[in-house]
Amino acid sequence: MTSLMLRVTAAESLTPLVKRFRFEHPRGATLPLFSGGAHVVVEMPDGDMLRRNAYSLISDPQDGSGYEIAVRREDGGRGGSRFMHGGVRPGDQLRVSLPLNLFALDLRARKHVLIAGGIGITPFIAQVRQLLRMQLPFELHYAARSRTEAAGLHLLPDVPHVHAHISDEGNRMDLGAILSGQPLGTQVYTCGPEGLITAVAQSGARLGWPKSALHSEVFQAPPPGRPFEVMLARSGRTIAVGAHQSLLEALEAAEVEIDWSCRGGACGRCETRVVSCHGRIEHHDHWLSEDEQSAQTRIMPCVSRFRGESLIIDR
Amino acid sequence: MTIRFNDETFRDDYSYHNSPEAIRRFPFPFDKDDYMYSVNMEPHGTGGRAGSVFEKRFDVDEHYVAEMRDRAITLASDPLRCQSLPHMELAGWDLLELIMQCKAEDYPELFQLHRDGDRWHWVNRPLGIEQRFTFLDPTTLPCGPMEYITRQAQGDFAVLDQRENNLWMDAGMVTSQADWSLDFDIGMNFFEWHAPVPKAAEMGIFQRALKFLLAIPQGSPSRRLNWTMTVNPRLDTSPENYHLWGPEKRTITPENVGAKQYLRVELQSFWRLPRSNALAFPIRCYLIALQDLVTVPKWARRLHRVIRDLPDELAEYKGFTVNRQIITDYLAQFDDGKPTSPGIFADD
């Protein structure tokens, strides 16, 4: 994974829970441009542990002077966002991967409808800039509980295409209204809580939308869970995976060579063959098909966990 | 480094030829004495083996000027060899930037790119081109950005859109292809355009290859070699023009096979494009006559064993079944049965 050591040049609270970070090249070099919806993986040396979390880029895709991300503090998470909120200050240097896009705009679309819930607004911030620049028709619907929690309001341009739906102001998002009456050839993109993605899929199905016109951002942070052990077939070693650690992180800590890219169960790079499994793999990825998941012969170590007697993987 | 560009043709009198240096740096595709499909990807980029075709990101060699002339001839007779669906224009600009930047950095004595914001100034000395234009403004170039730059870059180019966890052949410049048609494949997805390839689907090759390609990140291009056999040094072996080159397969005799039978190697590379998230897929074609190839003893031994032992359906797919025996007999005289060293490069 190609990465760059970048300097933090800004860390600003947008809301009580969301902070914006800006990274620039330490010698002022231009960073590679990207497409709206792309993410980077930030490396966080947290004690004796190296965490890597993926964050959507929120800066202008055509602006190579820096990369910006918005991080929501997840107190129940594995610790990456707490590290960013607590420990990272301007002047610090962090290793950041080059951008990768698993949630790109379909540029064939006659119109783009973007639907965001909460922190799910982040990939759309760069997409809105791209759409404005390319002068493509779009509308953005952004649902948040309250104005104080709506970090995206600080980051979005003041244009009529942007609609905020603030529930405690009695202005809840009406998916049926958004999805009905859109012109043929419209593509819909949803990012936010699982419930929102499901609701859009259901509304879309009811209104006769083709599935291929409904996109959602599928990668996610690895969920914490119970600790478990995994045996490595190639070396015969057994490694322990902590409650707040992913299997991928445990493999890296054990210096097992493994390819990765999105670290969110979407890109397929870290797919690993299961040699034997006595128990249940908790598949959290969006990569393996349902059949592949239920066969328990493959696992995505970046997000998936295990519960049971013993798991041996081909690493 | 100076390159002397050959005055040569890829049709009619077929005056194409390789200098001794070009023979030495030929990308011989077999790293062992037999061949089967594999997802044989490796990293591509700067810092490849010095003097080899892997040294620079977009290799420029002694055939550059003649190849670009041949492309112009093909395009004049069949403009559909270059197509770009409307949503691919941004990818075309990405590709233009990638090629201009790489060429200017890797061959500063041949190419120069001056950028002042979006006002660009491009100098291509071998082709005598100087162009001032506004980046992302198509009205400032004589043709679309993909066509503009691929008329100045050796090899074919497919530009693949990425969506629905698949790749789509939505743009390309294809004039030096091994018997496939952009006009037929345009708009197809990865599985559709690979449907004619025998065996590979059952082997799960395409699923694995696609997974790899979808996750190619920016700044980490990959490459692989592919190969086939071509009679006469013809770049345009297209289905559209099969009537021109297909019958030439029947002209091979034991006497002329060394001179007329060519090993055709494709250096395929894969690049993530920044603004469009499309995947650029350059397919660069190298041709070498068997009589030149056998001047490298390791290659002569190995090619004989590969061709002799190749499964029949692969020879059929690659289109040289009709001449396989003559080729094998010709190569046999250069194979003394000695072991060959690992890897693709000639022994020093």
Side-chain angles (χ1 to χ4, degrees), chain A residues 1-2 32-35 62 98-102 104 106-108 130 134 212 261 267 269 271 287 292, chain B residues 87 90 97 136 161-165 170 211-220 272 274-277:
Chain A
M1 194 74 196
T2 316
L33 304 182
F34 56 97
S35 49
Q62 301 302 295
L98 292 193
L100 179 72
N101 199 342
L102 299 171
D106 183 340
L107 294 177
R108 297 171 309 161
Q130 182 180 347
M134 295 178 78
S212 60
S261 184
C267 81
R269 275 285 170 105
E271 181 177 322
W287 176 255
E292 285 172 314
Chain B
H87 62 283
L90 186 61
E97 178 189 47
L136 295 179
D161 195 22
Q162 181 160 333
R163 40 174 216 272
E164 295 165 45
N165 271 327
D170 285 350
K211 284 182 182 187
F212 182 88
L213 294 173
L214 290 173
I216 283 190
Q218 277 194 58
S220 304
R272 176 70 55 199
R275 298 169 185 80
S276 58
N277 199 44

Side-chain angles (χ1 to χ4, degrees), chain B residues 10 16 18 25-27 44 53 56-65 67-68 71 103 107 153-158 176-177 224-227 235 264-269 281-287:
Chain B
F10 296 87
Y16 171 88
N18 281 303
R25 74 196 294 277
F26 189 81
H44 185 64
V53 303
K56 315 286 193 194
R57 290 167 287 185
F58 292 90
D59 182 43
V60 175
D61 66 8
E62 63 189 30
H63 309 297
Y64 176 56
V65 174
E67 265 189 64
M68 294 301 96
R71 164 156 294 162
K103 278 192 191 291
Y107 299 94
Q154 284 166 277
D156 287 341
F157 290 83
S176 56
Q177 68 272 52
R224 67 182 287 258
L225 294 174
N226 196 11
W227 68 280
L235 288 177
R264 181 187 195 103
V265 174
E266 291 175 353
L267 169 54
Q268 308 179 341
S269 54
F281 175 29
I283 309 159
R284 170 68 185 278
C285 171
Y286 293 88
L287 291 161

Side-chain angles (χ1 to χ4, degrees), chain B residues 8-311:
Chain B
E8 60 191 3
T9 57
F10 296 87
R11 58 183 77 216
D12 306 323
D13 64 343
Y14 293 117
S15 64
Y16 171 88
H17 54 281
N18 281 303
S19 67
E21 300 78 57
I23 294 172
R24 192 79 191 162
R25 74 196 294 277
F26 189 81
F28 186 72
F30 305 109
D31 62 351
K32 48 187 188 327
D33 288 357
D34 52 39
Y35 172 79
M36 194 12 99
Y37 300 122
S38 59
V39 185
N40 50 341
M41 298 283 189
E42 57 180 356
H44 185 64
T46 47
R49 184 182 169 112
S52 77
V53 303
F54 310 122
E55 184 181 5
K56 315 286 193 194
R57 290 167 287 185
F58 292 90
D59 182 43
V60 175
D61 66 8
E62 63 189 30
H63 309 297
Y64 176 56
V65 174
E67 265 189 64
M68 294 301 96
R69 212 183 291 142
D70 192 72
R71 164 156 294 162
I73 297 170
T74 301
L75 283 170
S77 67
D78 185 0
L80 292 178
R81 300 301 186 85
C82 178
Q83 298 190 43
S84 175
L85 299 183
H87 62 283
M88 297 302 282
E89 187 172 293
L90 186 61
W93 285 108
D94 274 334
L95 182 68
L96 174 139
E97 178 189 47
L98 175 70
I99 295 176
M100 285 188 177
Q101 202 171 311
C102 290
K103 278 192 191 291
E105 285 172 15
D106 293 351
Y107 299 94
E109 69 285 6
L110 300 180
F111 306 96
Q112 284 152 24
L113 177 64
H114 309 279
R115 300 164 66 149
D116 173 16
D118 56 8
R119 287 168 185 276
W120 292 24
H121 178 203
W122 166 246
V123 181
N124 178 336
R125 292 195 194 288
L127 297 183
I129 292 171
E130 188 169 349
Q131 179 82 39
R132 289 171 200 277
F133 63 100
T134 306
F135 188 72
L136 295 179
D137 179 353
T139 63
T140 59
L141 284 177
C143 54
M146 181 193 70
E147 178 177 350
Y148 181 78
I149 195 56
T150 56
R151 279 177 178 270
Q152 302 178 46
Q154 284 166 277
D156 287 341
F157 290 83
V159 187
L160 313 176
D161 195 22
Q162 181 160 333
R163 40 174 216 272
E164 295 165 45
N165 271 327
N166 211 325
L167 293 166
W168 304 80
M169 179 85 66
D170 285 350
M173 166 68 92
V174 179
T175 64
S176 56
Q177 68 272 52
D179 205 6
W180 67 279
S181 163
L182 176 69
D183 192 36
F184 185 73
D185 286 359
I186 192 95
M188 286 190 187
N189 71 34
F190 190 79
F191 298 110
E192 291 166 347
W193 83 67
H194 279 118
V197 182
K199 274 177 172 266
E202 304 97 89
M203 293 165 65
I205 294 272
F206 294 130
Q207 269 302 346
R208 265 182 292 150
L210 178 62
K211 284 182 182 187
F212 182 88
L213 294 173
L214 290 173
I216 283 190
Q218 277 194 58
S220 304
S222 292
R223 66 160 176 256
R224 67 182 287 258
L225 294 174
N226 196 11
W227 68 280
T228 188
M229 302 293 268
T230 301
V231 173
N232 291 324
R234 187 177 180 91
L235 288 177
D236 175 26
T237 51
S238 58
E240 286 89 345
N241 281 335
Y242 188 80
H243 60 288
L244 297 179
W245 58 271
E248 292 182 355
K249 290 190 205 177
R250 302 279 174 184
T251 63
I252 292 289
T253 65
E255 291 69 41
N256 68 18
V257 62
K260 280 177 81 83
Q261 180 66 60
Y262 281 72
L263 173 64
R264 181 187 195 103
V265 174
E266 291 175 353
L267 169 54
Q268 308 179 341
S269 54
F270 305 89
W271 309 74
R272 176 70 55 199
L273 298 176
R275 298 169 185 80
S276 58
N277 199 44
L279 198 69
F281 175 29
I283 309 159
R284 170 68 185 278
C285 171
Y286 293 88
L287 291 161
I288 190 169
L290 294 188
Q291 67 185 16
D292 287 340
L293 183 132
V294 298
T295 61
V296 177
K298 168 180 169 180
W299 294 350
R301 291 185 186 107
R302 183 168 288 168
L303 185 63
H304 170 244
R305 296 166 199 178
V306 167
I307 299 293
R308 183 191 61 197
D309 302 337
L310 194 72

